[in-house]
Amino acid sequence: MCGIVGYIGERDIKKFLLEGLKELEYRGYDSAGIAILQEGKLLIFKAVGKLENLIQKAKDLKTEGFGVGIGHTRWATHGKPTELNAHPQMGEFSYVVHNGIIENFKEIKSFLKEKQFLSQTDTEVIVHLFEKNLEELGNPKEAFKRTVKTLKGAYAILLITKADPNSIYFAKKGSPLIVGRDKDEVFFSSSDSPLIGYAKEVYYLEDGEWGVASKGKIEIFEGSKRVEREFKPLTINKELAQKGGYRFFMEKEIYEQSDVIIDTMMGRVKEDRIELEELDKEFLEGVENIKICACGTSYNAGLTGAYLIEKLAKIPANAEIASEFRYKEPVLLNNTLFIVISQSGETADTLEALKMAKSEGLKTLAICNVDNSSIVRLADRTILTRAGIEKGVASTKAFTTQVMVLWMLALYLAQENLKKELKENELKAMTKTPLALKVSTSLHERIKRLSKRYLHGHGFFFIGRDIFYPLALEGALKLKEISYLHAEGYPAGEMKHGPIALADPELFTIALMPKNLLYEKIKSNVEELSARDSTICAISPVEFELADDFIKVNNATHYMLEYYEMAVVMQLLAMEIAIRLGNDVDMPRNLAKSVTVE
Ligand code: AGP
């Protein structure tokens, strides 16, 4: 969601802040700003819209010599995306950037009656409260400590002030914040990428920690207690996070799937079994059912996982949308293994669901792509998806690797009781997945050509059965996210219970028709739609004469291989439609990569 960067040192501060914000663009934002304190002078630049607008505004600014600076990309929560609402938010002599939500901002605002508020944001209360506390306490560190103590909600905060012009004050609760260093320089960011190539060592701040940093010095506190924290080397390679010749990060990430899935399986898929070093007998002792909780694409992977676990391991499993789960007063049983799935590891609803399960004493497992993220730190156990940094807002490789982890988990849970041939069949299919995910030039070309026929119409139905139903959900989600066309994923057998009323030539049905799972059933569902003149695009290894368009996938021997091929087809189709419509594929409107507010 919002992105934060900060810097203390001698290098070109403006350059570091703007480059850092560029790295965070993929998270989604609608305005941006920077503030710099140099030689006692406070400078601020803010702009609505793309970062380019901010870069233009600050183009004459020269920042040489020592200074401190903070920067922010904002995704509006309280107050519209305007320049006044953009961060940094200002007091009389201090500036603040903030990610998260201050839940008690109204109370704080009414307490600060004498202060003049310029924005509609919840963030602005932080800077005024700090200045009021400073008036009373006369010491910036004490004033910041008291400020942080008053705040309720979620936050990652950086604050600079003329009252202590060489320092940055910081605090973290519920939103990610990293502090990095290299000799005398200090860096801050809400995620790794802006720090790559700058900070040698980093520390991922924990909830409740706050502190103050100045040249060569970082003090971290927990309440009033000063704490020493271990900084670890930042080893991630920046090149891996670049676009590398593709038109969009999303395209690069679709093509990468065939490789990253090998990383996901490495050391886990063995010749005769699945090995998951993250799990053991003791941890799974007493587990009689499984609940999976996630949002968006991760939920779609989770639903696939629930089908696979029941199919292979015969353990009752279900998947729930985290934002629903949180408030439905769920009944939690202590023989349940609670699995959360998240690419970012920071999704607020998923994190809260995990907290609920933990507080009820359930065993918890995270399937996540970002090590050290909030969800990973909280869960009892984690299986990392190893997809690498995913920059496109529309998730692709995170999804296919999540599904792979779930498939491995299902087989891991099943393997003691599964017949040898069945187990071998699964393992063999897994090793063929990289091939199923490979994008061939001819397939991509065909989809590119086909995409021009799907730019209008009154809606899309993606339909499938069994695990191809969550895959249909995912296909529809991809399309609507980046093309802004209306699309729904539906269980094919359910169409006749209502949605078929919409069928006409302007209704596009994308039918997932695997040969290895319920082919005859889905075929008759598609025939029903065809009889009502819906325009049908069938994705299948089996020719289907009633289809208006047909995308042939390989004649695989396992339904999961068909699943993966179809996933790629739908990702490419959504992307090519979005490109033809002139949309920003990597940063679709209204969306954020990491949704850290509920
Ligand atoms: C994916 O294409 C979406 N942008 C979105 O649905 C995403 O999957 C969801 O917000 C959950 O994110 P997470 O996996 O980081 O928790």
Side-chain angles (χ1 to χ4, degrees), residues 295-298 341-344 347 393-395 402 477-478 481 595:
C295 302
T297 286
S298 298
I341 308 176
S342 175
Q343 189 286 128
S344 61
T347 301
V393 165
S395 195
Q402 285 166 347
L477 181 62
K478 281 297 78 88
E481 275 187 296
V595 186

mmCIF file of all heavy atoms in Angstrom, residues 295-298 341-344 347 393-395 402 477-478 481 595, ligand 1:
data_model
loop_
_atom_site.group_PDB
_atom_site.id
_atom_site.type_symbol
_atom_site.label_atom_id
_atom_site.label_comp_id
_atom_site.label_asym_id
_atom_site.label_seq_id
_atom_site.Cartn_x
_atom_site.Cartn_y
_atom_site.Cartn_z
ATOM 1 N N CYS A 295 -6.673 -13.636 1.153
ATOM 2 C CA CYS A 295 -7.431 -12.655 0.372
ATOM 3 C C CYS A 295 -7.048 -12.752 -1.102
ATOM 4 O O CYS A 295 -5.908 -13.098 -1.427
ATOM 5 C CB CYS A 295 -7.088 -11.227 0.808
ATOM 6 S SG CYS A 295 -7.378 -10.901 2.536
ATOM 7 N N GLY A 296 -7.966 -12.377 -1.960
ATOM 8 C CA GLY A 296 -7.688 -12.205 -3.394
ATOM 9 C C GLY A 296 -7.111 -13.461 -4.022
ATOM 10 O O GLY A 296 -7.605 -14.583 -3.837
ATOM 11 N N THR A 297 -6.052 -13.259 -4.781
ATOM 12 C CA THR A 297 -5.397 -14.372 -5.461
ATOM 13 C C THR A 297 -4.971 -15.452 -4.476
ATOM 14 O O THR A 297 -5.085 -16.649 -4.759
ATOM 15 C CB THR A 297 -4.165 -13.843 -6.228
ATOM 16 O OG1 THR A 297 -4.645 -13.147 -7.371
ATOM 17 C CG2 THR A 297 -3.250 -14.944 -6.684
ATOM 18 N N SER A 298 -4.474 -15.031 -3.323
ATOM 19 C CA SER A 298 -4.017 -16.012 -2.336
ATOM 20 C C SER A 298 -5.184 -16.868 -1.855
ATOM 21 O O SER A 298 -5.017 -18.051 -1.555
ATOM 22 C CB SER A 298 -3.350 -15.302 -1.151
ATOM 23 O OG SER A 298 -2.227 -14.613 -1.604
ATOM 24 N N ILE A 341 -2.325 -17.686 3.776
ATOM 25 C CA ILE A 341 -1.531 -17.580 2.550
ATOM 26 C C ILE A 341 -1.438 -16.105 2.173
ATOM 27 O O ILE A 341 -2.452 -15.392 2.167
ATOM 28 C CB ILE A 341 -2.188 -18.353 1.386
ATOM 29 C CG1 ILE A 341 -2.488 -19.792 1.825
ATOM 30 C CG2 ILE A 341 -1.298 -18.344 0.152
ATOM 31 C CD1 ILE A 341 -3.214 -20.601 0.776
ATOM 32 N N SER A 342 -0.235 -15.666 1.888
ATOM 33 C CA SER A 342 -0.077 -14.267 1.488
ATOM 34 C C SER A 342 1.210 -14.088 0.699
ATOM 35 O O SER A 342 2.264 -14.577 1.111
ATOM 36 C CB SER A 342 -0.045 -13.384 2.743
ATOM 37 O OG SER A 342 0.212 -12.053 2.391
ATOM 38 N N GLN A 343 1.115 -13.414 -0.414
ATOM 39 C CA GLN A 343 2.323 -13.084 -1.166
ATOM 40 C C GLN A 343 3.181 -12.141 -0.332
ATOM 41 O O GLN A 343 4.329 -12.420 -0.052
ATOM 42 C CB GLN A 343 1.936 -12.435 -2.504
ATOM 43 C CG GLN A 343 3.086 -12.222 -3.488
ATOM 44 C CD GLN A 343 4.042 -11.091 -3.129
ATOM 45 O OE1 GLN A 343 5.268 -11.302 -3.085
ATOM 46 N NE2 GLN A 343 3.543 -9.919 -2.829
ATOM 47 N N SER A 344 2.575 -11.025 0.068
ATOM 48 C CA SER A 344 3.343 -9.958 0.728
ATOM 49 C C SER A 344 3.659 -10.271 2.187
ATOM 50 O O SER A 344 4.644 -9.777 2.733
ATOM 51 C CB SER A 344 2.537 -8.668 0.686
ATOM 52 O OG SER A 344 1.307 -8.859 1.379
ATOM 53 N N THR A 347 -0.743 -8.382 4.377
ATOM 54 C CA THR A 347 -2.166 -8.098 4.167
ATOM 55 C C THR A 347 -2.896 -8.042 5.515
ATOM 56 O O THR A 347 -2.896 -9.021 6.278
ATOM 57 C CB THR A 347 -2.776 -9.174 3.249
ATOM 58 O OG1 THR A 347 -2.049 -9.136 2.033
ATOM 59 C CG2 THR A 347 -4.240 -8.930 2.970
ATOM 60 N N VAL A 393 1.202 -5.612 -9.855
ATOM 61 C CA VAL A 393 0.136 -5.639 -8.845
ATOM 62 C C VAL A 393 -0.710 -6.906 -9.029
ATOM 63 O O VAL A 393 -1.140 -7.539 -8.063
ATOM 64 C CB VAL A 393 -0.724 -4.354 -8.932
ATOM 65 C CG1 VAL A 393 -2.031 -4.511 -8.172
ATOM 66 C CG2 VAL A 393 0.061 -3.174 -8.362
ATOM 67 N N ALA A 394 -0.917 -7.285 -10.281
ATOM 68 C CA ALA A 394 -1.669 -8.522 -10.544
ATOM 69 C C ALA A 394 -0.742 -9.711 -10.313
ATOM 70 O O ALA A 394 0.249 -9.899 -11.014
ATOM 71 C CB ALA A 394 -2.188 -8.516 -11.972
ATOM 72 N N SER A 395 -1.100 -10.486 -9.347
ATOM 73 C CA SER A 395 -0.240 -11.589 -8.922
ATOM 74 C C SER A 395 -0.241 -12.731 -9.948
ATOM 75 O O SER A 395 -1.286 -13.129 -10.436
ATOM 76 C CB SER A 395 -0.797 -12.090 -7.591
ATOM 77 O OG SER A 395 0.144 -12.896 -6.979
ATOM 78 N N GLN A 402 2.258 -20.577 -4.815
ATOM 79 C CA GLN A 402 1.401 -20.901 -3.647
ATOM 80 C C GLN A 402 0.697 -22.233 -3.879
ATOM 81 O O GLN A 402 0.635 -23.091 -2.986
ATOM 82 C CB GLN A 402 0.334 -19.807 -3.456
ATOM 83 C CG GLN A 402 0.857 -18.516 -2.868
ATOM 84 C CD GLN A 402 -0.129 -17.363 -3.006
ATOM 85 O OE1 GLN A 402 -1.114 -17.448 -3.751
ATOM 86 N NE2 GLN A 402 0.121 -16.278 -2.299
ATOM 87 N N LEU A 477 -10.409 -12.752 -11.819
ATOM 88 C CA LEU A 477 -9.778 -11.695 -11.010
ATOM 89 C C LEU A 477 -8.675 -11.009 -11.819
ATOM 90 O O LEU A 477 -8.572 -9.773 -11.840
ATOM 91 C CB LEU A 477 -9.211 -12.293 -9.712
ATOM 92 C CG LEU A 477 -8.534 -11.322 -8.747
ATOM 93 C CD1 LEU A 477 -9.507 -10.270 -8.243
ATOM 94 C CD2 LEU A 477 -7.932 -12.050 -7.554
ATOM 95 N N LYS A 478 -7.863 -11.816 -12.505
ATOM 96 C CA LYS A 478 -6.784 -11.236 -13.311
ATOM 97 C C LYS A 478 -7.366 -10.285 -14.344
ATOM 98 O O LYS A 478 -6.893 -9.169 -14.507
ATOM 99 C CB LYS A 478 -5.992 -12.318 -14.065
ATOM 100 C CG LYS A 478 -4.953 -13.125 -13.341
ATOM 101 C CD LYS A 478 -3.777 -12.393 -12.782
ATOM 102 C CE LYS A 478 -4.115 -11.696 -11.511
ATOM 103 N NZ LYS A 478 -4.004 -12.374 -10.277
ATOM 104 N N GLU A 481 -8.891 -7.037 -12.785
ATOM 105 C CA GLU A 481 -7.868 -6.166 -12.184
ATOM 106 C C GLU A 481 -7.186 -5.266 -13.207
ATOM 107 O O GLU A 481 -6.951 -4.101 -12.936
ATOM 108 C CB GLU A 481 -6.748 -7.029 -11.567
ATOM 109 C CG GLU A 481 -6.999 -7.521 -10.187
ATOM 110 C CD GLU A 481 -5.756 -8.210 -9.621
ATOM 111 O OE1 GLU A 481 -5.347 -9.245 -10.183
ATOM 112 O OE2 GLU A 481 -5.206 -7.715 -8.637
ATOM 113 N N VAL A 595 -2.023 -4.793 0.590
ATOM 114 C CA VAL A 595 -3.173 -4.105 1.192
ATOM 115 C C VAL A 595 -3.056 -4.150 2.716
ATOM 116 O O VAL A 595 -3.564 -5.063 3.364
ATOM 117 C CB VAL A 595 -4.499 -4.720 0.686
ATOM 118 C CG1 VAL A 595 -5.686 -3.917 1.182
ATOM 119 C CG2 VAL A 595 -4.505 -4.749 -0.839
HETATM 120 C C1 AGP B 1 -3.636 -10.271 -6.854
HETATM 121 O O1 AGP B 1 -3.613 -10.171 -8.238
HETATM 122 C C2 AGP B 1 -4.274 -9.187 -6.186
HETATM 123 N N1 AGP B 1 -3.661 -7.950 -6.524
HETATM 124 C C3 AGP B 1 -4.739 -9.320 -4.755
HETATM 125 O O2 AGP B 1 -5.962 -9.994 -4.845
HETATM 126 C C4 AGP B 1 -3.853 -10.038 -3.724
HETATM 127 O O3 AGP B 1 -3.729 -11.376 -4.044
HETATM 128 C C5 AGP B 1 -4.456 -9.852 -2.318
HETATM 129 O O4 AGP B 1 -4.495 -8.499 -2.003
HETATM 130 C C6 AGP B 1 -3.724 -10.623 -1.254
HETATM 131 O O5 AGP B 1 -2.408 -10.206 -1.143
HETATM 132 P P1 AGP B 1 -1.324 -11.067 -0.395
HETATM 133 O O6 AGP B 1 -1.174 -12.335 -1.142
HETATM 134 O O7 AGP B 1 -0.086 -10.219 -0.443
HETATM 135 O O8 AGP B 1 -1.818 -11.304 0.990
#
